[in-house]
Structures are given as structure tokens and as C-alpha cells.
């Protein structure tokens, strides 16, 4: 049995059709898309075709798509770009405590420059209250930034409701849709967003490519300065092969999205039901139903998340830790903390994220291997032994 990859929220395998499209461009279409002669125009045509695909999927105009180097750059451009362009109007930003660091850290950097940032709380399931967004608006607010779906727990936010509030108060509204673009319906008018970030490598495209949707009329300035590419909002020769690959990935996923969403939801639910049945002392983090189709974030009491990852790796199963912000930072996740989960409760948390290459047999394999891996780790845990002793003394079951 080969490797089972269950970390699709971190990144996804590039699908063969996408690799083929990228190779085609690398080998046969090297022109600079800003040049006038034919090989430049070939590259330009390929670039504009990718732009049309993206515009079609999100219901935008083609010149509202600004290609970038990925989710991080799109988020930075949205936050810094609006802050710069609208400084005269005010110096207040509203965001949430559970955003990706690609939004949180630009906000923190702006605070050092005198900006005020409201980091809204979330409830125990990771949901932002739209009324709290409305309540936080002041005359100085120039930007509201709320992610559409959380990368760690998968909770999906009420973006359309927040969009209505932002529109009625005439405030620019950005949503980081890196985890939901391609996986959920993403129509900018229905969501009411002015800015929307995406990334190719979350949808079976290459790393280092993304786009920021910028609604016409949005007051935003560039972060980089250079040539006139991407309406001067993102200067620099475009990564044409990467963008073409992104376009191919997006159009393929869009054509199969509904079926894939249903398939992943049913696999996800079967996996959680199976884990609950086979492993005692587990807890699901995030909203039970308003969650990304493929995402589960589960706490396994009396187990270290990192040990569990390594234990599963021995069976060639790749999952992520749900408690650390990133795999090399062992601080508790800011998302779980914001949801009110104490560090000890977040400790043995795994994030399992399914993708299009996963099948029912992957779920079966995990359900076979996970209970014995958890049991084995718990057998070394003094806390677990203590717990069992106490249970016994109290005359309880397991
Ligand atoms: N925003 C969210 C919600 C993400 O999950 C990620 C990546 O994990 C990013 C932004 C950053 O995207 P990229 O890796 O393309 O820079």
C-alpha cells in the first residue's frame, strides 16, 4: 500500500493535467507577455485565458483579477494596499483572531505604524458573529478582513452577511478565500466582497501563484513598485507557466466541484463517526456542519499530537498537527486558543484534510491504524494511567 496523504489544507499534489499545461508553457512559450512580437503575444494570450477562467469562476471582470505569488502576497496586498490608499479616511481595521498569519502579521505591522486593529473573537465552534463586525465599525474603519474558511478547523464564516454590513457602511471588505476557492461556490457579488485572496497550491496547482480579486473602484495601492503589469498593482513579469497551471487547476476543479464536495463530505463524516466509535476520549473542534468538506480537527486526550503524527508516519500516513501554529513552532494554535480551548486541551490535536486523490480505502486504512496508534501512545502516558486509576477507584468504566 502506498503513501496516504491527508494534509490537503497544507498543500495539494499537482494534478497531471496541470503539470502538463505548465510543462507545455515552459518548453514552448517563453515569451514575455508584455512584448508585442508573436511569442510574447502567445504568452499574453495564455495569461489572459487564465485570467478569463478565474473571472468566470468567481463572477468578476477579467481586469479585476490581479495575479500574485500566492495567498500570502494577496493578503498582504489587500491589507497594506487598502491601508495605504485609505489612510486619509481613517486608521482602523477590523479582522478576527483566527485569520491566517498572512493577514494577522500585516495587521500587527500596521499597529506599529499607529493603526488600530480590532481582532474579533469567535465562538467555541470558530464562528464570527456578523453583529460583532457591525458593532466594531467606527468612523475610522477602512477595512474589514474575514477569512471564508479556516485552514485549521475548517469552520466556514457567514461572509455574505458580513458583506452586506460592509457594503451598507461603505467599508472595503476583504476575504481570505485561500482554503475555500475551488472547493465551495465563490461568487464575489453573492459574497459581497471587494477583495478576495486565492492560492494555486491548495487546489492541485503549483506553489507560488495566486490572485487577488479587486473589485472595480476599490481604493487600493500597490505594495511593490515597478512596471505596469497587473494594472500596476502587482508589477513584475508574470509567472506565466504557473498562472496557466493555476487556470487549468481551477477550471478542472470547478467542473467537478459539486460531486467532489459531496464525496469529501461523506468520507469526512464516515471518518469522524469511525474515529468516535473506535477511540475513546476524542473531541471534534470547529463547527459540526459549517465546515470545509474535507477537514477534521480532532483532539485525542492523553496523547501528544507530534507523537501521533510520527506514529502514523510509520504507516506512511501524512496528517498535520492541529495544535501548533506551524509544524516548527510549538506554541498552541492561535485558532484553538481563540475558540477557548486551553493549551492542554489542544495538545494532542490532529488536522486531517482530505483531497481529490483520497478514496474510501484511505479512510478504512486510517480507521484501522489510528486506534492502535493512539492506544499504544496512551499506554506510555502517566496521565492516562492516572486517569484510568481514578476511574477504577470511582467505579467507572473506561
Ligand atoms: N491564507 C490561508 C487561509 C491559508 O491556509 C494559507 C496557506 O496555508 C495562506 C493564506 C497562505 O497561502 P500561500 O501558501 O499561497 O502563501
Amino acid at each position: 500500500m502506498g503513501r496516504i496523504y491527508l494534509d490537503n489544507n497544507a498543500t495539494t499534489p499537482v494534478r497531471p493535467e496541470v503539470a502538463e499545461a505548465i510543462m507545455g508553457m515552459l518548453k514552448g512559450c517563453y515569451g514575455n507577455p508584455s512584448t508585442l512580437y508573436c511569442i510574447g503575444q502567445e504568452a499574453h494570450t495564455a495569461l489572459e485565458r487564465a485570467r478569463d477562467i478565474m473571472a468566470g469562476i468567481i463572477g468578476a471582470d477579467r481586469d479585476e483579477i490581479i495575479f500574485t505569488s500566492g495567498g500570502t502576497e494577496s493578503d498582504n496586498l489587500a491589507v497594506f494596499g487598502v491601508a495605504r490608499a485609505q489612510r486619509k479616511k481613517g486608521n482602523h481595521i477590523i479582522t478576527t483572531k483566527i485569520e491566517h498569519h498572512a493577514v494577522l502579521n500585516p495587521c500587527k505591522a500596521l499597529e506599529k505604524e499607529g493603526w488600530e486593529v480590532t481582532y474579533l473573537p469567535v465562538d467555541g465552534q470558530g464562528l464570527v458573529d456578523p453583529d460583532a463586525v457591525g458593532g466594531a465599525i467606527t468612523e475610522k474603519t477602512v477595512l474589514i478582513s474575514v477569512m471564508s474558511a479556516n485552514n485549521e478547523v475548517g469552520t466556514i464564516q457567514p461572509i455574505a452577511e458580513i458583506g452586506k454590513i460592509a457594503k451598507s457602511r461603505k467599508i472595503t471588505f476583504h476575504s481570505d478565500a485561500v482554503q475555500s476557492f475551488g472547493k465551495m461556490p465563490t461568487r464575489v457579488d453573492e459574497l459581497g466582497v471587494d477583495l478576495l485572496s486565492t492560492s494555486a497550491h491548495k487546489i492541485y496547482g503549483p506553489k507560488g501563484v495566486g490572485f487577488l480579486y479587486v473589485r472595480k473602484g476599490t481604493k487600493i495601492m500597490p505594495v511593490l513598485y515597478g512596471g505596469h503589469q497587473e494594472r500596476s498593482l502587482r508589477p513584475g513579469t508574470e509567472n506565466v507557466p504557473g498562472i496557466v497551471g493555476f487556470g487549468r487547476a481551477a477550471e478542472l476543479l470547478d467542473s467537478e466541484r459539486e460531486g467532489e464536495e459531496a464525496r469529501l463530505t461523506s468520507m469526512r463524516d464516515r471518518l469522524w463517526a469511525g474515529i468516535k466509535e473506535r477511540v475513546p476520549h476524542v473531541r471534534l473542534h470547529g463547527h459540526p456542519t459549517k465546515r470545509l468538506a474535507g477537514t477534521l480537527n480532532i483532539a485525542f486526550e492523553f496523547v501528544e499530537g507530534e507523537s501521533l503524527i510520527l506514529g502514523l508516519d510509520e504507516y506512511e500516513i501524512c496528517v498535520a498537527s492541529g495544535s501548533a501554529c506551524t509544524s516548527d513552532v510549538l506554541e498552541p494554535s492561535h485558532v484553538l486558543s481563540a475558540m477557548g480551548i486551553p493549551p492542554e486541551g489542544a495538545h494532542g490535536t490532529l488536522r486531517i484534510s482530505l483531497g481529490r486523490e483520497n478514496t474510501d480505502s484511505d479512510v478504512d486504512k486510517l480507521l484501522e491504524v489510528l486506534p492502535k496508534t493512539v492506544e499504544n501512545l496512551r499506554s506510555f502516558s502517566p496521565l492516562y494511567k492516572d486517569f484510568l486509576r481514578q476511574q477504577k477507584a470511582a467505579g467507572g468504566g473506561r
Side-chain angles (χ1 to χ4, degrees):
M1 190 143 177
R3 186 179 312 284
I4 298 179
Y5 182 73
L6 298 171
D7 196 12
N8 288 275
N9 285 14
T11 196
T12 51
V14 173
R15 58 197 286 177
E17 304 94 319
V18 171
E20 207 177 292
I22 295 172
M23 272 318 271
M25 294 303 293
L26 286 172
K27 284 181 177 166
C29 193
Y30 59 86
N32 184 322
S34 300
T35 56
L36 288 177
Y37 41 80
C38 74
I39 56 165
Q41 286 305 296
E42 270 172 30
H44 177 78
T45 304
L47 179 64
E48 293 313 304
R49 192 178 121 61
R51 203 184 303 282
D52 282 341
I53 291 170
M54 300 314 188
I57 292 173
I58 65 170
D61 283 347
R62 55 169 18 196
D63 56 3
E64 293 175 317
I65 305 292
I66 305 295
F67 285 113
T68 66
S69 68
T72 300
E73 188 189 330
S74 298
D75 286 344
N76 272 258
L77 178 55
V79 175
F80 286 122
V82 168
R84 278 213 176 144
Q86 302 192 31
R87 179 66 189 87
K88 279 199 186 125
K89 184 183 162 201
N91 68 341
H92 179 229
I93 292 172
I94 298 170
T95 186
T96 80
K97 289 186 175 172
I98 60 158
E99 297 301 306
H100 192 272
H101 285 104
V103 167
L104 289 178
N105 286 344
C107 287
K108 285 192 187 135
L110 285 173
E111 281 184 288
K112 290 195 181 129
E113 294 173 21
W115 281 74
E116 281 166 28
V117 182
T118 303
Y119 300 93
L120 292 172
V122 292
D123 68 12
Q125 297 177 330
L127 273 177
V128 177
D129 177 2
D131 289 340
V133 178
I137 295 173
T138 72
E139 304 161 344
K140 291 184 176 171
T141 310
V142 298
L143 177 68
I144 297 169
S145 180
V146 179
M147 73 198 320
S148 60
N150 184 265
N151 44 305
E152 292 187 35
V153 293
T155 300
I156 296 167
Q157 302 299 339
I159 294 300
E161 277 180 65
I162 299 170
K164 282 193 192 114
I165 295 168
K167 192 170 179 188
S168 73
R169 307 288 290 269
K170 296 192 173 57
I171 296 165
T172 302
F173 180 34
H174 167 244
S175 185
D176 175 340
V178 165
Q179 289 292 345
S180 58
F181 173 67
K183 303 178 194 167
M184 282 167 39
T186 308
R187 307 287 292 177
V188 288
D189 286 347
E190 281 161 29
L191 296 173
V193 292
D194 302 305
L195 301 162
L196 181 114
S197 302
T198 69
S199 177
H201 75 101
K202 307 292 184 183
I203 61 158
Y204 317 99
K207 290 161 184 63
V209 190
F211 71 78
L212 180 68
Y213 156 76
V214 180
R215 186 180 290 279
K216 256 186 213 114
T218 303
K219 291 201 174 71
I220 182 165
M221 277 171 69
V223 168
L224 299 176
Y225 287 82
H228 295 297
Q229 294 92 343
E230 303 300 304
R231 289 181 27 226
S232 296
L233 257 183
R234 204 289 186 168
T237 304
E238 289 94 344
N239 171 4
V240 183
I243 291 169
V244 167
F246 187 16
R248 187 82 185 110
E251 85 183 327
L252 287 167
L253 196 56
D254 192 52
S255 69
E256 61 201 30
R257 187 180 48 73
E258 277 175 31
E260 192 54 13
E261 216 178 335
R263 192 184 74 91
L264 289 178
T265 302
S266 108
M267 280 204 295
R268 176 200 74 190
D269 291 347
R270 185 165 81 82
L271 183 56
W272 171 231
I275 292 174
K276 254 191 318 190
E277 201 181 292
R278 291 168 179 76
V279 187
H281 315 300
V282 290
R283 207 174 48 247
L284 182 69
H285 292 145
H287 197 281
T289 53
K290 290 177 191 162
R291 65 163 55 235
L292 282 171
T295 306
L296 285 175
N297 185 300
I298 303 170
F300 294 83
E301 278 182 64
F302 311 108
V303 175
E304 295 277 339
E306 284 66 31
S307 313
L308 198 43
I309 290 172
L310 296 177
L312 291 174
D313 194 39
E314 291 200 3
Y315 295 94
E316 294 198 90
I317 297 177
C318 310
V319 294
S321 160
S323 58
C325 284
T326 59
S327 52
D328 48 2
V329 179
L330 278 177
E331 277 170 21
S333 138
H334 67 288
V335 176
L336 296 182
S337 304
M339 286 164 58
I341 294 153
E344 56 286 5
H347 227 46
T349 298
L350 284 193
R351 179 186 68 185
I352 301 166
S353 47
L354 303 162
R356 62 180 297 282
E357 289 194 357
N358 294 124
T359 60
D360 277 331
S361 75
D362 296 344
V363 172
D364 294 338
K365 179 75 186 171
L366 186 60
L367 287 177
E368 178 205 321
V369 162
L370 187 63
K372 54 187 179 195
T373 310
V374 173
E375 204 177 303
N376 183 35
L377 290 170
R378 281 180 179 162
S379 71
F380 299 114
S381 160
L383 282 178
Y384 191 53
K385 283 183 189 155
D386 244 20
F387 169 81
L388 290 181
R389 235 175 274 130
Q390 279 170 26
Q391 287 267 300
K392 212 168 162 191
R398 55 182 192 185

